[in-house]
Amino acid sequence: MKKFTPILLLVLALLIPVIFRQKPSLVYYLNLSMIYAISAQGLNLLMGIGGQISLGHAAFMAIGGYTSAVLVMVLHVPFIVALIAGVGLSCLFGLIIGFPALRLKGFYLAIATLAMGTVVTDIIKRIAITGGDYGLRNIPAPRLFGFTFGSSLSQFYLILAGLLLAIVVTRNFIRSKSGIALQAMRDSETGAQAVGINTSNYKLLAFILASAFAGLAGVLYGHSVSYLNTTNFGLDLSINLLAITIIGGMGTVWGVVLGSFLWVFVRNLMGSGLEMLTGVLFGVILLLVVLFLPRGLSEIGFRIAGRFKGKNESS
Amino acid sequence: MWTLIFRGLATGSIYSLTAMGIVLVLSTTNVMNFAQGDMGMFLAFIAFALLMRHVSYPIAIIAVVLIGLLLGALLERGLMSKVRKTTSHLGMLIVTLALTMILEGLAGYFFGTTPLLFPPLVQGAPLQFLGIILDRQDLVSLAIAGVVVLILFIVLYRTKIGIASRSLAEDEYAARLLGIPIKNIYIFIWAASFGLAGLAGIMVAPKLSLEPSFMIVIQLKAFIAAVLGGMNSVVGAVVGGLLLGVLENFVAYYIPQIKDSFSLILVVAVLLVLPEGIFGKRAARRA
Amino acid sequence: MLKIEELHVSYGIIEALHGISIEVETSEIVSILGSNGAGKTTLLKTISGILKPTTGVITVDGVVINSMETSNVVKRGVVHVPEGRHIFPNLTVQDNLILGGYFGSAAQNNENMMFVLNTFPVLRQRLHQKAGMLSGGEQQMLALGRGLMGNPKMLLLDEPSLGLAPIVTSEIFSIVRKLAKEHAFGVLLVEQNARKALEISDRGYVLVNGTIELSGRSEELRENPEVQKLYLGGKNVDSHI
Ligand SMILES: Nc1ncnc2c1ncn2[C@@H]1O[C@H](COP(=O)(O)OP(=O)(O)O)[C@@H](O)[C@H]1O
Ligand SMILES: [Mg+2]
């Protein structure tokens, strides 16, 4: 049974947009959710596994998004090349920033990543080619192997592929030597060092992977929303990504997916005039999670699943 | 030249007020408070509402500071004291992030996100003095900041509760052994820091425009000031804030291209090169 | 006046004290001897309310204190001067002392301050210096003085000789003895330096792995062959310095 759950979920996921064909806005929100889930998966690696905090995660989305959009719009390179370049540049920045930043601890890392994130978006805004304060409009839809992902429906599958990739990579990372070492370090840094694990390389690896995920999410965001503005990638989004990760449940691959869906849907389906209250609602949920559910909302899911399993076995 | 320094000090004094609140809380309770700026924002909105109802300016200031004190005390009693038992330092940091989401959301819901004009404390043309141009608002806010800093220092260095607060920052175990009522000190600290937040909010609002995110940039600058000052000394926070304000003004004047990024690059450089800050003796050990 | 009965204390699932009974009378100096890890600090921390016992009773003048917060224990006159001194290095000597009298009235604190500065004249010269600038011996005096600011009926001293030169230790110990006799308070003195501790104390207990192995008058303990072998034996005596 357990083996088939992912396949079942996948089939379900593949069918969702078909079922909701009549409601493209719903599919659009699904796409957004998945994009944030990809990005948050990176934070999940960094925080949930690596025990490091970042308040500049959204900036890496901006790097990926702008790189790819500019390459496609100005240099007319194929989407696939732009995608790789966007993710690559994001990784590179992850390396450049992560290398010095990871020497800092806790609070100081939070401030440093916050500052670096702000510098990055500032710089992007200053480069003329990015449209400055007006942002980049009319970014073309993704085009792969001659097929244009023009509709929300077609983009759904592309983004889903991205999300699956992120999940698989995260899952493998958690189980890899570096992942295990990082978790040991997260629980006790001195402990890990005592058994001779050099954790700084693993931390850096986690940081770079996190940047890659954010970059990928940024690329997908730019080409599916078709509009980029640096104000959308500021501290606000970084904090929200953090909230998504923690609310969903750090250290689990499905928690962040849950968190992202919750965030996007609550935010967009709240009646008009009440959008501002999503922040309040999410803030309160975040508080409650920190207080009572250290493993996030996914823990409730696990408990329910556990109960079902118990029932199945007993019956 | 002197005009630049004066303007820098005026801006810097606001950074100092916010940084003091942050450092006060961090050094004693070990919480990195990301909500200091947003608490100022929220209180500035309350001040705005009062002013719109024709409450006089001085009374609005006093009311807002008192509300700040009260909210700080309530936060410690109702939330922080509970969270402290169950979560790590990073968990506490996240609690303050949740607080920013809540405060910004509430402000946006009740007052909207369209920027509002906050009336200045004083009006009138800038004064000229020995060729220095002194903006009235700057002058008043510098004076208020000066008085507040003075009061805070007297409290911290001359009263039992103030000395006890500083002792807590040094050695909590020893403070406990002396029977110092730590819970009350925590309440005092949070109250004081949110009182400072209210003042900072009122002083910044007329310079920028009033909207739910207007204090974010001040919060960031205050962090930078605190880092410059070594993160664990209130004196350092004051000096760091003033220094940052002056430096920024010079940079904006002579190299305007980098004025936005300057302080950010500065903080990253300081964090990496001098993790104890310029004046600090032994920071960075926390975390 | 301090009475401890059948005290059990655990760190998580590991028990550190296995049923300890101790008494200290007014004006009496009682030493607790034991090697590193015996549970001496654990005992003092439990008396001052930092740790809660699993079972057992601690009373001061008949009042049960083992469920009290530290601040209430201090108000009852039990003051714990910790191992390693724990003075506040960036506060002035004066501020350190002021904090010792956190609960006292201004008049009372002034009086106590005079008393402390007369007892330890070096502190008077350094009143406005940062406490971190003091030498080890002076810091120990400050820690003691800070404790005295709380008007103790019972002083708990955790390894006051740690890291001090023998002459300084002797000086501090003789002051402690004089104070206890003249001002009628009890002292519970925890020491690894058994020889010095037995010189000034009236009685002593030997703590081994969380249980009291021996107790008696200090002279008797000094003569006890087992104590001599384990705690007074030749070079071992001051080896922790
Ligand atoms: N915080 C703690 N957590 C767990 N065990 C502890 C802790 N403190 C002390 N212990 C253990 O309790 C025992 C007694 O320690 P302690 O009271 O410090 O001894 P002493 O002061 O006599 O050297 C030791 O075995 C020590 O390892
Ligand atoms: Mg000990």
Side-chain angles (χ1 to χ4, degrees):
Chain A
M1 175 66 203
K2 200 166 175 243
K3 238 184 194 166
F4 295 113
T5 318
I7 298 172
L8 209 71
L9 277 175
L10 187 62
V11 172
L12 205 67
L14 288 173
L15 285 177
I16 280 174
V18 183
I19 300 166
F20 293 114
R21 212 169 38 234
Q22 306 306 331
K23 286 202 141 205
S25 69
L26 206 67
V27 178
Y28 175 78
Y29 290 138
L30 283 177
N31 291 355
L32 267 187
S33 307
M34 291 193 297
I35 288 172
Y36 289 123
I38 295 172
S39 182
Q41 206 64 263
L43 267 188
N44 186 24
L45 267 183
L46 193 65
M47 291 202 303
I49 312 302
Q52 309 290 309
I53 195 169
S54 169
L55 287 177
H57 197 61
F60 291 101
M61 285 181 73
I63 293 175
Y66 274 97
T67 306
S68 160
V70 166
L71 284 178
V72 170
M73 291 170 78
V74 180
L75 299 178
H76 306 290
V77 306
F79 173 72
I80 182 79
V81 177
L83 171 87
I84 293 168
V87 175
L89 200 65
S90 197
C91 283
L92 185 65
F93 269 82
L95 178 71
I96 296 172
I97 292 175
F99 189 65
L102 290 172
R103 284 174 29 205
L104 302 168
K105 279 187 185 168
F107 302 149
Y108 295 88
L109 183 61
I111 295 182
T113 49
L114 168 57
M116 286 166 174
T118 315
V119 173
V120 166
T121 44
D122 265 6
I123 292 174
I124 291 178
K125 205 163 67 185
R126 285 178 178 279
I127 305 172
I129 224 167
T130 64
D133 288 329
Y134 297 103
L136 270 184
R137 283 169 201 281
N138 300 325
I139 302 167
R143 207 180 144 76
L144 276 179
F145 313 116
F147 179 79
T148 307
F149 294 82
S151 65
S152 293
L153 198 66
S154 57
Q155 284 164 6
F156 175 88
Y157 294 104
L158 182 66
I159 298 170
L160 180 66
L163 177 60
L164 288 177
L165 179 71
I167 288 176
V168 169
V169 172
T170 307
R171 177 156 274 185
N172 285 333
F173 186 79
I174 292 178
R175 293 173 183 169
S176 73
K177 207 176 93 199
S178 358
I180 292 167
L182 277 175
Q183 289 168 74
M185 175 206 67
R186 175 197 62 197
D187 299 331
S188 150
E189 182 141 9
T190 41
Q193 273 160 3
V195 295
I197 303 173
N198 178 6
T199 50
S200 58
N201 287 342
Y202 297 137
K203 271 193 227 174
L204 189 59
L205 183 61
F207 203 87
I208 293 172
L209 271 177
S211 315
F213 286 176
L216 175 63
V219 173
L220 293 171
Y221 181 96
H223 291 278
S224 63
V225 176
S226 80
Y227 171 64
L228 284 175
N229 192 318
T230 46
T231 52
N232 294 335
F233 298 99
L235 177 61
D236 230 24
L237 181 58
S238 288
I239 292 182
N240 279 316
L241 287 169
L242 208 87
I244 286 173
T245 312
I246 295 168
I247 288 175
M250 282 191 293
T252 64
V253 280
W254 296 107
V256 288
V257 180
L258 179 72
S260 308
F261 277 77
L262 205 64
W263 187 60
V264 169
F265 277 86
V266 170
R267 189 182 173 92
N268 290 297
L269 299 183
M270 283 277 244
S272 61
L274 293 178
E275 302 118 47
M276 287 315 296
L277 287 183
T278 5
V280 180
L281 185 67
F282 252 71
V284 171
I285 298 179
L286 184 56
L287 270 183
L288 293 176
V289 166
V290 172
L291 271 173
F292 303 112
L293 286 173
R295 287 173 56 207
L297 290 182
S298 64
E299 191 168 349
I300 298 179
F302 284 136
R303 278 184 200 163
I304 294 172
R307 188 164 300 171
F308 268 113
K309 214 179 262 170
K311 261 191 194 149
N312 284 347
E313 275 158 23
S314 62
S315 62
Chain B
M1 167 81 186
W2 285 105
T3 307
L4 279 182
I5 291 182
F6 170 75
R7 283 214 196 113
L9 289 177
T11 324
S13 67
I14 291 167
Y15 300 160
S16 298
L17 283 184
T18 311
M20 261 159 66
I22 291 171
V23 167
L24 210 54
V25 166
L26 177 68
S27 62
T28 47
T29 73
N30 250 323
V31 178
M32 180 69 98
N33 182 12
F34 274 79
Q36 180 74 11
D38 273 347
M39 184 46 82
M41 172 277 296
F42 193 72
L43 292 168
F45 268 110
I46 293 179
F48 183 78
L50 290 176
L51 290 174
M52 290 301 103
R53 280 172 186 68
H54 307 291
V55 174
S56 76
Y57 221 118
I59 293 187
I61 295 183
I62 292 169
V64 155
V65 171
L66 290 178
I67 295 173
L69 294 173
L70 185 71
L71 287 179
L74 283 177
L75 180 74
E76 165 61 28
R77 272 308 296 272
L79 187 63
M80 288 303 173
S81 57
K82 311 238 167 6
V83 185
R84 191 168 291 124
K85 290 181 195 124
T86 58
T87 183
S88 61
H89 298 330
L90 231 46
M92 306 276 275
L93 188 159
I94 287 160
V95 167
T96 70
L97 288 177
L99 225 52
T100 68
M101 296 172 80
I102 294 171
L103 289 171
E104 286 184 34
L106 284 177
Y109 179 69
F110 286 113
F111 300 97
T113 45
T114 356
L116 302 167
L117 272 185
F118 196 97
L121 247 161
V122 279
Q123 269 149 345
L127 303 172
Q128 285 253 8
F129 178 74
L130 298 174
I132 313 173
I133 302 162
L134 307 172
D135 187 73
R136 283 171 199 251
Q137 168 78 21
D138 281 354
L139 216 55
V140 172
S141 71
L142 200 54
I144 293 182
V147 171
V148 170
V149 169
L150 200 69
I151 293 175
L152 195 74
F153 271 86
I154 291 174
V155 171
L156 283 179
Y157 284 83
R158 289 280 177 270
T159 67
K160 264 189 197 172
I161 194 163
I163 298 171
S165 308
R166 290 190 296 130
S167 80
L168 220 55
E170 299 219 346
D171 191 334
E172 185 176 327
Y173 171 60
R176 257 173 88 188
L177 282 183
L178 294 175
I180 289 168
I182 294 176
K183 285 181 193 157
N184 298 348
I185 309 272
Y186 281 162
I187 292 175
F188 163 75
I189 293 289
W190 277 101
S193 104
F194 280 1
L196 288 172
L199 270 179
I202 290 190
M203 283 159 50
V204 180
K207 294 188 132 198
L208 307 173
S209 54
L210 190 60
E211 56 186 313
S213 59
F214 87 100
M215 282 298 278
I216 298 282
V217 59
I218 305 291
Q219 166 93 25
L220 192 54
K221 298 290 167 66
F223 272 141
I224 298 169
V227 169
L228 290 180
M231 243 356 177
N232 59 355
S233 111
V234 179
V235 187
V238 173
V239 179
L242 296 176
L243 184 71
L244 180 65
V246 172
L247 280 179
E248 255 185 3
N249 256 277
F250 273 95
V251 170
Y253 189 78
Y254 290 108
I255 347 174
Q257 300 88 326
I258 63 160
K259 82 175 192 307
D260 286 342
S261 305
F262 162 72
S263 56
L264 300 164
I265 295 167
L266 180 69
V267 69
V268 172
V270 170
L271 275 177
L272 295 178
V273 181
L274 286 172
E276 292 98 33
I278 297 176
F279 315 103
K281 280 171 220 88
R282 21 131 231 151
R285 72 192 163 89
R286 298 179 190 285
Chain C
M1 59 162 299
L2 174 72
K3 194 163 182 213
I4 299 168
E5 288 169 282
E6 279 302 308
L7 192 71
H8 290 259
V9 182
S10 301
Y11 292 104
I13 52 163
I14 299 168
E15 194 174 78
L17 295 181
H18 323 286
I20 288 203
S21 301
I22 285 173
E23 272 180 67
V24 186
E25 291 303 327
T26 306
S27 295
E28 195 182 29
I29 302 182
V30 171
S31 50
I32 308 269
L33 312 176
S35 49
N36 205 358
K40 306 181 296 297
T41 300
T42 304
L43 173 64
L44 294 198
K45 281 184 177 172
T46 312
I47 300 172
S48 54
I50 298 279
L51 299 172
K52 300 279 172 248
T54 37
T55 57
V57 185
I58 307 172
T59 56
V60 173
D61 290 335
V63 180
V64 178
I65 61 162
N66 51 320
S67 52
M68 284 185 184
E69 293 275 323
T70 304
S71 52
N72 290 329
V73 175
V74 174
K75 281 183 199 157
R76 300 226 145 251
V78 178
V79 176
H80 177 168
V81 179
E83 181 175 352
R85 306 186 256 283
H86 283 272
I87 50 142
F88 304 111
N90 286 315
L91 266 53
T92 60
V93 168
Q94 185 172 33
D95 286 352
N96 268 275
L97 291 175
I98 286 175
L99 290 177
Y102 197 82
F103 298 108
S105 65
Q108 201 180 11
N109 282 337
N110 278 339
E111 198 181 307
N112 288 344
M113 180 82 82
M114 293 305 287
F115 171 65
V116 168
L117 296 181
N118 287 337
T119 312
F120 302 109
V122 263
L123 297 182
R124 189 191 299 278
Q125 296 159 20
R126 305 192 165 240
L127 209 51
H128 300 290
Q129 284 182 19
K130 284 191 175 179
M133 309 288 281
L134 303 185
S135 70
E138 289 164 348
Q139 290 191 4
Q140 187 60 57
M141 293 177 193
L142 176 58
L144 257 173
R146 191 178 62 180
L148 292 173
M149 290 291 295
N151 272 334
K153 285 193 284 187
M154 172 65 54
L155 258 187
L156 314 175
L157 304 182
D158 198 346
E159 310 224 19
S161 76
L162 199 69
L164 300 186
I167 314 174
V168 183
T169 307
S170 302
E171 186 190 345
I172 289 177
F173 275 21
S174 68
I175 293 174
V176 168
R177 176 156 186 97
K178 192 165 146 255
L179 286 174
K181 299 301 166 192
E182 285 176 8
H183 298 272
F185 49 77
V187 175
L188 189 58
L189 172 66
V190 156
E191 265 298 340
Q192 281 188 55
N193 188 338
R195 175 167 295 157
K196 284 255 161 72
L198 289 176
E199 269 171 26
I200 67 154
S201 61
D202 303 299
R203 289 188 300 115
Y205 296 84
V206 177
L207 188 61
V208 180
N209 288 334
T211 39
I212 304 279
E213 291 275 302
L214 259 174
S215 64
R217 304 212 51 79
S218 296
E219 310 85 78
E220 293 164 22
L221 287 178
R222 247 181 292 170
E223 302 307 320
N224 183 304
E226 205 177 330
V227 174
Q228 286 196 332
K229 192 175 116 222
L230 286 174
Y231 302 102
L232 302 173
K235 287 173 199 155
N236 279 337
V237 179
D238 285 359
S239 62
H240 66 276
I241 292 181

